[in-house]
Short mmCIF file of all heavy atoms in Angstrom, two decimals:
data_model
loop_
_atom_site.label_atom_id
_atom_site.label_comp_id
_atom_site.label_asym_id
_atom_site.label_seq_id
_atom_site.Cartn_x
_atom_site.Cartn_y
_atom_site.Cartn_z
N GLY H 1360 122.16 75.69 112.02
CA GLY H 1360 120.95 74.90 111.98
C GLY H 1360 119.80 75.52 112.72
O GLY H 1360 118.65 75.07 112.58
N GLY H 1361 120.07 76.55 113.50
CA GLY H 1361 119.03 77.21 114.27
C GLY H 1361 118.25 78.21 113.46
O GLY H 1361 118.45 78.37 112.25
N SER H 1362 117.33 78.91 114.14
CA SER H 1362 116.44 79.86 113.49
C SER H 1362 116.38 81.18 114.25
O SER H 1362 116.59 81.22 115.46
CB SER H 1362 115.02 79.29 113.38
OG SER H 1362 114.99 78.10 112.61
N LEU H 1363 116.10 82.24 113.52
CA LEU H 1363 115.87 83.56 114.07
C LEU H 1363 114.79 84.25 113.27
O LEU H 1363 114.62 83.97 112.08
CB LEU H 1363 117.13 84.42 114.05
CG LEU H 1363 118.24 84.12 115.05
CD1 LEU H 1363 119.47 84.96 114.73
CD2 LEU H 1363 117.77 84.39 116.47
N ARG H 1364 114.07 85.16 113.90
CA ARG H 1364 113.05 85.95 113.22
C ARG H 1364 113.37 87.42 113.43
O ARG H 1364 113.32 87.92 114.55
CB ARG H 1364 111.66 85.64 113.75
CG ARG H 1364 110.53 86.39 113.04
CD ARG H 1364 109.17 85.90 113.52
NE ARG H 1364 108.05 86.68 113.00
CZ ARG H 1364 107.49 86.49 111.80
NH1 ARG H 1364 107.97 85.57 110.99
NH2 ARG H 1364 106.47 87.24 111.43
N LEU H 1365 113.68 88.11 112.35
CA LEU H 1365 114.01 89.52 112.40
C LEU H 1365 112.78 90.37 112.12
O LEU H 1365 111.91 89.97 111.35
CB LEU H 1365 115.10 89.87 111.38
CG LEU H 1365 116.38 89.04 111.42
CD1 LEU H 1365 117.37 89.57 110.40
CD2 LEU H 1365 116.98 89.02 112.81
N SER H 1366 112.73 91.54 112.75
CA SER H 1366 111.65 92.48 112.52
C SER H 1366 112.22 93.83 112.15
O SER H 1366 113.30 94.20 112.60
CB SER H 1366 110.78 92.62 113.77
OG SER H 1366 110.16 91.40 114.12
N CYS H 1367 111.50 94.56 111.34
CA CYS H 1367 111.89 95.91 110.95
C CYS H 1367 110.67 96.80 111.00
O CYS H 1367 109.72 96.61 110.23
CB CYS H 1367 112.49 95.92 109.55
SG CYS H 1367 112.83 97.58 108.90
N ALA H 1368 110.69 97.76 111.90
CA ALA H 1368 109.62 98.73 112.02
C ALA H 1368 109.98 99.98 111.24
O ALA H 1368 111.03 100.58 111.47
CB ALA H 1368 109.37 99.08 113.49
N ALA H 1369 109.12 100.37 110.32
CA ALA H 1369 109.37 101.51 109.45
C ALA H 1369 108.33 102.59 109.69
O ALA H 1369 107.13 102.33 109.65
CB ALA H 1369 109.36 101.09 107.99
N SER H 1370 108.80 103.80 109.93
CA SER H 1370 107.89 104.92 110.10
C SER H 1370 107.61 105.58 108.76
O SER H 1370 108.36 105.42 107.80
CB SER H 1370 108.50 105.94 111.07
OG SER H 1370 109.66 106.53 110.52
N GLY H 1371 106.51 106.32 108.70
CA GLY H 1371 106.19 107.07 107.51
C GLY H 1371 105.31 106.32 106.53
O GLY H 1371 105.30 105.08 106.50
N SER H 1372 104.63 107.07 105.70
CA SER H 1372 103.70 106.49 104.73
C SER H 1372 104.40 105.82 103.56
O SER H 1372 103.75 105.12 102.78
CB SER H 1372 102.75 107.58 104.21
OG SER H 1372 103.47 108.63 103.58
N ILE H 1373 105.69 106.04 103.42
CA ILE H 1373 106.42 105.44 102.31
C ILE H 1373 106.33 103.92 102.33
O ILE H 1373 106.39 103.26 101.29
CB ILE H 1373 107.89 105.90 102.31
CG1 ILE H 1373 108.59 105.47 101.02
CG2 ILE H 1373 108.63 105.35 103.53
CD1 ILE H 1373 110.00 105.98 100.88
N PHE H 1374 106.17 103.35 103.52
CA PHE H 1374 106.10 101.91 103.64
C PHE H 1374 104.95 101.33 102.83
O PHE H 1374 105.05 100.24 102.27
CB PHE H 1374 105.97 101.50 105.11
CG PHE H 1374 105.92 100.02 105.33
CD1 PHE H 1374 107.09 99.30 105.50
CD2 PHE H 1374 104.71 99.36 105.37
CE1 PHE H 1374 107.05 97.93 105.71
CE2 PHE H 1374 104.65 97.99 105.58
CZ PHE H 1374 105.83 97.28 105.75
N ARG H 1375 103.84 102.05 102.78
CA ARG H 1375 102.65 101.54 102.13
C ARG H 1375 102.76 101.49 100.61
O ARG H 1375 101.99 100.78 99.96
CB ARG H 1375 101.43 102.39 102.53
CG ARG H 1375 101.04 102.26 103.99
CD ARG H 1375 99.75 103.00 104.29
NE ARG H 1375 99.96 104.44 104.38
CZ ARG H 1375 99.65 105.30 103.42
NH1 ARG H 1375 99.13 104.86 102.28
NH2 ARG H 1375 99.86 106.59 103.60
N VAL H 1376 103.70 102.22 100.04
CA VAL H 1376 103.82 102.29 98.58
C VAL H 1376 105.09 101.64 98.05
O VAL H 1376 105.23 101.47 96.84
CB VAL H 1376 103.76 103.75 98.09
CG1 VAL H 1376 102.43 104.39 98.50
CG2 VAL H 1376 104.93 104.56 98.63
N ALA H 1377 106.02 101.29 98.92
CA ALA H 1377 107.32 100.81 98.49
C ALA H 1377 107.47 99.30 98.61
O ALA H 1377 106.88 98.66 99.48
CB ALA H 1377 108.42 101.48 99.30
N ASP H 1378 108.26 98.75 97.70
CA ASP H 1378 108.73 97.38 97.86
C ASP H 1378 109.85 97.40 98.90
O ASP H 1378 110.73 98.26 98.85
CB ASP H 1378 109.28 96.83 96.54
CG ASP H 1378 108.22 96.77 95.45
OD1 ASP H 1378 107.02 96.86 95.77
OD2 ASP H 1378 108.61 96.63 94.27
N MET H 1379 109.81 96.47 99.82
CA MET H 1379 110.78 96.45 100.91
C MET H 1379 111.74 95.28 100.77
O MET H 1379 111.44 94.28 100.14
CB MET H 1379 110.05 96.37 102.26
CG MET H 1379 109.09 97.51 102.53
SD MET H 1379 109.94 99.12 102.65
CE MET H 1379 110.96 98.85 104.09
N GLY H 1380 112.90 95.43 101.39
CA GLY H 1380 113.90 94.38 101.30
C GLY H 1380 114.73 94.26 102.57
O GLY H 1380 114.84 95.20 103.35
N TRP H 1381 115.29 93.08 102.74
CA TRP H 1381 116.28 92.83 103.77
C TRP H 1381 117.64 92.74 103.11
O TRP H 1381 117.80 92.05 102.09
CB TRP H 1381 115.98 91.55 104.54
CG TRP H 1381 114.93 91.69 105.61
CD1 TRP H 1381 113.62 91.38 105.52
CD2 TRP H 1381 115.15 92.19 106.93
NE1 TRP H 1381 112.98 91.65 106.71
CE2 TRP H 1381 113.89 92.15 107.59
CE3 TRP H 1381 116.25 92.66 107.63
CZ2 TRP H 1381 113.73 92.56 108.92
CZ3 TRP H 1381 116.09 93.09 108.93
CH2 TRP H 1381 114.84 93.03 109.56
N TYR H 1382 118.61 93.42 103.70
CA TYR H 1382 119.97 93.43 103.21
C TYR H 1382 120.89 92.94 104.33
O TYR H 1382 120.53 92.97 105.49
CB TYR H 1382 120.40 94.83 102.80
CG TYR H 1382 119.50 95.51 101.77
CD1 TYR H 1382 118.27 96.04 102.14
CD2 TYR H 1382 119.90 95.61 100.44
CE1 TYR H 1382 117.46 96.67 101.21
CE2 TYR H 1382 119.09 96.24 99.51
CZ TYR H 1382 117.88 96.76 99.90
OH TYR H 1382 117.07 97.38 98.97
N ARG H 1383 122.08 92.52 103.96
CA ARG H 1383 123.05 92.13 104.97
C ARG H 1383 124.46 92.50 104.52
O ARG H 1383 124.74 92.57 103.32
CB ARG H 1383 122.98 90.64 105.29
CG ARG H 1383 123.44 89.71 104.18
CD ARG H 1383 123.22 88.26 104.57
NE ARG H 1383 123.67 87.32 103.55
CZ ARG H 1383 123.46 86.01 103.60
NH1 ARG H 1383 122.81 85.47 104.63
NH2 ARG H 1383 123.91 85.22 102.63
N GLN H 1384 125.32 92.74 105.49
CA GLN H 1384 126.70 93.08 105.20
C GLN H 1384 127.60 92.35 106.19
O GLN H 1384 127.52 92.57 107.40
CB GLN H 1384 126.93 94.59 105.29
CG GLN H 1384 128.33 95.01 104.86
CD GLN H 1384 128.44 96.50 104.65
OE1 GLN H 1384 127.72 97.28 105.25
NE2 GLN H 1384 129.35 96.90 103.78
N ALA H 1385 128.45 91.48 105.67
CA ALA H 1385 129.42 90.76 106.47
C ALA H 1385 130.73 91.55 106.50
O ALA H 1385 130.99 92.37 105.61
CB ALA H 1385 129.65 89.37 105.90
N PRO H 1386 131.57 91.33 107.51
CA PRO H 1386 132.84 92.04 107.60
C PRO H 1386 133.68 91.87 106.34
O PRO H 1386 133.88 90.75 105.86
CB PRO H 1386 133.52 91.39 108.80
CG PRO H 1386 132.39 90.91 109.64
CD PRO H 1386 131.36 90.44 108.66
#
């Protein structure tokens, strides 16, 4: 029921042209 805010810092100019995504992997 709680909340979290994740951040992702990306280096390089590729960030400006790419679609970005969040992924997850459980055990």
